[in-house]
Amino acid sequence: MIRYSAQTDPGKKRDHNEDAILARPEHGVFVVADGVGGRAAGEVASALTIETFTQAAPDLAEAVRRYAAAPEWSTRNDVLEAIDEVSQRATQRVYEESEAKGRKGMTTTLVAAVVGGGAAFVAHVGDSRAWLVRDGLIRQLTEDHSMVNELVRTGQMSFDEAKKSRYRSVITRAIGLYPTVQADLMSIEILPGDRLLLCSDGLSDPVSTERIEELSSQDDVTTSVRNLVQAALDGGGPDNISVVLVEPEATPQTEAARARAQVMKDLFLFRGLPFHARLRVSRICRELFFTPDQALVREGTTGDSMYVVVQGSVKVTCSDLPLAELGAGEHFGELGLLEDHRRTATVVGATYGSAIVISRGDLQDFCTREPTLGNQMMWRMLATLGTRLGESNAQLVDQANRNREDAVTLHDFD
């Protein structure tokens, strides 16, 4: 059963509310939209967006049901594609309405969550936010599409300067700005006690992250939402305030979910990436379950995928000679991400276990869709390969020196 609470308030400085919210627990669909463009414009954009998601809620719920029946890479990404399709319909509707009525600049932000099957699927455009509350700590799932956030990200502005900047309300992506939109899409496995917080900047601007964390963790979700809205009002209520707090059903595979999250955090491709970035990247990660002696790769064959052990262990052999046993967090086959690479070893399951598989095609598609994040990952790949090349060169030099010393010793003996 989904526990939730939702509330919107005009705030203290506005005489009308351009925010709109949606809570459909029977379908597991929750949305916050913060309209932009002034009276009779921003509120139209947010209302059209909510209407579009309301109409699509049964179809989104069906996609989640298919995922819950077979939780795997394809069904997970089907849900994300379904949410993206609804986001595209919303942006087209708002854009066409603004063109027809001569309301240039009529747009809205969007943060939508579809929950079910022990997972949450999120779409995000603009500077409304989604947060994960886990074990009493809060993590931002989304990255603001705003001018000041881009300046902060590139080191051209400090966080404190951004909070005071007159450009802090300028967003770089919005529903309705163009006929199509690039939404950030992500999924996350829900652990026991997890909560999702969706909000407009009417909450996140006047209330500190620490205070939001404290209030979002209160026992009762309705009390939490009421206190969050009150905190924004106590902070001056400079904008419309919308808050949706959801406590979805958790995945039954808690241990496996935690193991996958740890591997994603530690893997060299993703190391140092913020939490929200790792969630977006997870859409290219397939899961493979293996049994003892099941071959994952065979020596002499070509491959285009990298493997990361999540649970259990695998044995690595070359010409039937044992080389290593790899456990959780260790990886192999990364050269396949760059080119069709002939495998130099055979890898088979040593125990029952699972691995994350990333293919070159999926990585290339992701880099096309999200070039900034994709470039960060490719630089990490080059850095890792450079380190390994340096280690190999050092080993070759060391071996050459030993051979030279052996030759001198033999000459002295002669």
Side-chain angles (χ1 to χ4, degrees):
M1 179 179 176
I2 299 174
R3 297 172 59 205
Y4 81 97
S5 183
Q7 185 178 338
T8 186
D9 189 283
K12 292 184 175 180
K13 303 295 178 68
R14 305 287 178 91
D15 59 1
H16 65 290
N17 195 345
E18 294 183 70
D19 286 4
I21 60 177
L22 174 65
R24 287 288 186 273
E26 67 274 21
H27 295 127
V29 178
F30 302 88
V31 184
V32 168
D34 178 359
V36 179
R39 180 184 291 275
E43 59 197 50
V44 173
S46 59
L48 283 173
T49 298
I50 293 300
E51 182 180 283
T52 304
F53 271 85
T54 301
Q55 294 169 350
D59 292 335
L60 293 173
E62 180 58 32
V64 171
R65 278 193 289 271
R66 289 194 294 269
Y67 165 80
E72 56 189 24
W73 177 86
S74 60
T75 53
R76 179 189 66 204
N77 282 356
D78 285 346
V79 181
L80 292 175
E81 292 302 327
I83 300 175
D84 189 39
E85 183 180 336
V86 180
S87 303
Q88 299 305 324
R89 293 208 297 268
T91 201
Q92 186 170 8
R93 286 188 69 185
V94 174
Y95 178 81
E96 289 175 351
E97 179 73 9
S98 68
E99 290 287 300
K101 299 295 177 63
R103 295 170 173 168
K104 285 288 187 182
M106 184 182 86
T107 61
T108 182
T109 69
L110 166 70
V111 60
V114 183
V115 302
F121 305 86
V122 177
H124 167 246
V125 178
D127 63 355
S128 295
R129 292 181 179 179
W131 308 75
L132 172 69
V133 184
R134 174 173 289 172
D135 299 329
L137 301 177
I138 197 167
R139 290 180 173 181
Q140 190 172 332
L141 299 181
T142 54
E143 183 177 31
D144 293 352
H145 302 140
S146 65
M147 179 182 292
V148 294
N149 186 62
E150 183 64 20
L151 293 172
V152 170
R153 190 181 65 81
T154 57
Q156 300 177 64
M157 180 181 285
S158 70
F159 181 74
D160 288 338
E161 289 172 334
K163 293 193 72 171
K164 301 173 184 176
S165 173
R166 59 177 178 170
Y167 301 113
R168 64 185 180 278
S169 297
V170 178
I171 54 178
T172 54
R173 290 190 217 172
I175 297 292
L177 186 61
Y178 301 107
T180 61
V181 68
Q182 181 181 339
D184 286 345
L185 304 171
M186 67 202 74
S187 63
I188 183 169
E189 294 178 284
I190 300 298
L191 301 180
D194 282 358
R195 289 178 174 178
L196 289 176
L197 172 65
L198 312 180
C199 69
S200 63
D201 62 353
L203 173 70
S204 55
D205 277 356
V207 185
S208 69
T209 301
E210 293 76 15
R211 183 63 172 155
I212 293 174
E213 176 181 87
E214 176 190 353
L215 296 175
S216 299
S217 302
Q218 293 177 325
D219 289 341
D220 179 63
V221 291
T222 301
T223 301
S224 286
V225 168
R226 184 171 59 247
N227 290 340
L228 285 165
V229 172
Q230 188 59 51
L233 293 171
D234 292 344
D239 202 350
N240 306 148
I241 309 156
S242 291
V243 181
V244 178
L245 187 62
V246 186
E247 190 171 303
E249 293 182 359
T251 175
Q253 301 176 347
T254 302
E255 182 180 347
R258 290 189 186 276
R260 284 188 288 269
Q262 190 62 47
V263 164
M264 290 288 291
K265 179 180 178 181
D266 295 339
L267 183 63
F268 72 93
L269 272 181
F270 312 141
R271 192 175 298 132
L273 292 179
F275 186 61
H276 60 78
R278 296 201 301 274
L279 293 180
R280 302 210 304 273
V281 171
S282 68
R283 68 179 304 181
I284 68 173
C285 298
R286 304 171 187 250
E287 189 169 24
L288 171 68
F289 295 94
F290 56 82
T291 60
D293 297 323
Q294 176 186 336
L296 282 70
V297 301
R298 290 195 179 277
E299 185 178 351
T301 61
T302 58
D304 66 351
S305 298
M306 180 181 75
Y307 298 75
V308 189
V309 180
V310 176
Q311 292 180 304
S313 62
V314 296
K315 295 181 292 188
V316 184
T317 61
C318 180
S319 300
D320 295 327
L321 296 175
L323 295 181
E325 185 165 327
L326 306 179
E330 296 184 285
H331 62 273
F332 56 93
E334 61 271 19
L335 289 178
L337 295 178
L338 301 179
E339 60 180 359
D340 284 335
H341 180 67
R342 190 171 295 277
R343 305 298 193 185
T344 58
T346 294
V347 183
V348 303
T351 65
Y352 289 95
S354 64
I356 287 173
V357 184
I358 302 174
S359 74
R360 184 168 68 249
D362 290 338
L363 179 59
Q364 289 172 341
D365 288 346
F366 182 83
C367 290
T368 300
R369 181 183 176 89
E370 298 213 33
T372 300
L373 187 50
N375 283 338
Q376 292 180 49
M377 292 165 57
M378 294 311 297
W379 276 111
R380 283 170 171 79
M381 168 72 78
L382 290 174
T384 297
L385 294 178
T387 299
R388 292 197 173 189
L389 182 59
E391 291 172 351
S392 297
N393 285 340
Q395 291 172 357
L396 289 173
V397 170
D398 184 57
Q399 184 63 50
N401 289 335
R402 286 201 300 270
N403 290 343
R404 193 175 297 112
E405 291 171 358
D406 291 343
V408 170
T409 301
L410 288 172
H411 177 74
D412 290 344
F413 180 78
D414 291 342

